[in-house]
Amino acid sequence: MQGRRKWRDAAVVRARTIAEDVRLIEFAVAGPMPRFAPGSHTTIEVDIDGLKAHRSYTCLPADPGFIRVAVRAHQHSRGGSRYMWSLIEGARTRLAVPENRFELSWRASSCLLVAGGIGITPIYGMARALKLKGVPVRLAYGARSREQMAFADELRELLGDDVEFFASNEGRRIDLASEIRMLPADGELYICGPIGMLEDAKRAWVEAGRSASRLRFEVFGDSGAFAEQPFAVEVANSNIRVEVAPDESLLEALTRAGVDMISDCERGECGLCAVDLISHDTAIDHRDVFFSEEEKKQGKRMCACVSRLTGGAAIIDIGYRA
Ligand code: FES
């Protein structure tokens, strides 16, 4: 949980734009910092309108004592990416010692890596590590345009013909079924991208008769099927009603209203922040990877850290008793 994070002071030593809407920020970290593996993420303390909040970012490969992250400018930023983009050399903040929930297993004879947009951040480190160890790897990298593809040159140099770029403005999309077909039976798929891409990959993986344990994924929680809309939530058995703005999460709105919420990952992975829905008058935009497709269809629970209503109002039950 949040309390177990080990915090370190950090100062920005470099910040530059590396692709359209993508900024690379490098921090020098004070104090002991263990080595971290590809797929690790750190939590960074951000300042949003004078209030402290936490945002999670993948750790890119970096020298000992440094943390590098790449941040996409989000159109409907909840304030995190706006803050990160405002950082210049010398700026100071705190960040947490990296944790890893998206690790390479190192047991596959070859790996298929799939990245969508800023989902390249963990995949980039994985590609480098696999190549270094001589594990055969193919990377399919999709984005809206080539200009938005961070690390494209480095990946071309690293992987040669084993990386393929799919820019949707050029009419190219990743054919997940065919990518999976080309992967040996004991191969593994690592994928990071928007929730829609991940759901497609999970479906194609199951249809191909592959073992669930050989598919590993991470999603970025700001990618939903609908644009962010304001919505209202009433907490059953309390006098609490919160208005959730387009640029904040339900978890933030409830916490702001004094509701004692439990959370950890804030990325839609652990399920700790899940709330029960008693009623809702619009669709739920599930942005988590915690609930199964079946559970999402039932619409009885949602992860407050990333998932949202598409407007309207809901009544939730969090076990609160006035
Ligand atoms: S805090 Fe982990 S899913 Fe919301």
Side-chain angles (χ1 to χ4, degrees):
M1 301 214 204
Q2 290 194 23
R4 67 159 193 243
R5 287 188 185 126
K6 295 186 188 119
W7 292 95
R8 300 282 184 267
D9 290 327
V12 176
V13 290
R14 212 160 294 125
R16 66 191 167 95
T17 303
I18 55 168
E20 191 181 304
D21 291 338
V22 182
R23 198 149 171 86
L24 182 111
I25 303 155
E26 184 166 359
F27 298 90
V29 183
M33 196 72 170
R35 296 291 293 173
F36 53 86
S40 299
H41 68 269
T42 181
T43 301
I44 297 183
E45 192 171 84
V46 301
D47 190 312
I48 300 172
D49 301 330
L51 295 175
K52 300 287 181 213
H54 297 152
R55 294 290 185 269
S56 173
Y57 297 98
T58 298
C59 300
L60 294 161
D63 291 334
F66 291 85
I67 290 283
R68 295 167 83 217
V69 298
V71 181
R72 184 172 72 105
H74 194 274
Q75 204 190 343
H76 298 283
S77 170
R78 293 191 277 129
S81 72
R82 206 167 39 238
Y83 168 82
M84 293 296 284
W85 270 68
S86 76
L87 292 175
I88 53 171
E89 209 177 303
R92 291 179 175 277
T93 184
R94 293 197 313 155
L95 52 77
V97 168
E99 295 175 60
N100 201 344
R101 297 196 190 96
F102 187 39
E103 277 172 280
L104 285 165
S105 75
W106 295 110
R107 65 176 179 167
S109 67
S110 67
C111 289
L112 169 61
L113 306 178
V114 176
I118 196 66
I120 193 61
T121 49
I123 298 297
Y124 172 60
M126 288 178 172
R128 283 181 34 151
L130 289 164
K131 195 74 189 169
L132 199 67
K133 289 250 167 104
V135 179
V137 55
R138 170 173 163 80
L139 166 57
Y141 183 2
R144 285 204 197 103
S145 68
R146 286 190 183 249
E147 291 71 32
Q148 293 189 345
M149 292 182 186
F151 310 113
D153 291 342
E154 292 93 326
L155 287 165
R156 207 174 285 114
E157 193 173 323
L158 178 76
L159 300 175
D161 291 343
D162 293 326
V163 57
E164 197 169 342
F165 301 95
F166 298 84
S168 54
N169 70 344
E170 295 170 8
R172 301 204 67 216
R173 288 185 189 279
I174 301 172
D175 180 343
L176 289 160
S178 129
E179 295 287 348
I180 291 168
R181 249 192 324 272
M182 289 191 289
L183 185 69
D186 67 343
E188 289 183 344
L189 166 57
Y190 293 82
I191 179 167
C192 183
I195 190 90
M197 174 190 248
L198 179 60
E199 298 295 351
D200 289 348
K202 286 204 289 197
R203 213 169 298 120
W205 191 255
V206 170
E207 282 168 10
R210 302 278 181 150
S211 155
S213 70
R214 290 185 177 272
L215 166 64
R216 297 184 176 211
F217 52 79
E218 189 172 67
V219 70
F220 33 92
D222 62 1
S223 66
F226 303 90
E228 289 81 358
Q229 300 290 340
F231 61 99
V233 165
E234 191 181 313
V235 181
N237 302 308
S238 78
N239 292 322
I240 299 168
R241 181 183 161 89
V242 294
E243 304 288 334
V244 186
D247 61 354
E248 72 177 341
S249 68
L250 173 57
L251 179 65
E252 287 168 333
L254 290 169
T255 306
R256 173 169 49 77
V259 179
D260 196 11
M261 294 292 291
I262 303 174
S263 63
D264 183 14
C265 69
E266 297 186 19
R267 296 151 64 95
E269 293 168 358
C270 70
L272 274 177
C273 66
V275 296
D276 292 339
L277 284 150
I278 296 174
S279 67
H280 53 97
D281 57 13
T282 58
I284 306 164
D285 190 4
H286 286 287
R287 300 176 170 200
D288 64 280
V289 291
F290 176 73
F291 289 119
S292 66
E293 270 189 65
E294 202 43 50
E295 288 169 315
K296 288 178 182 174
K297 266 188 216 140
Q298 288 170 0
K300 292 186 177 157
R301 301 186 79 202
M302 66 187 272
C303 286
C305 64
V306 290
S307 299
R308 327 179 44 86
L309 287 190
T310 51
I315 302 174
I316 62 169
D317 189 352
I318 53 168
Y320 186 96
R321 294 292 172 267

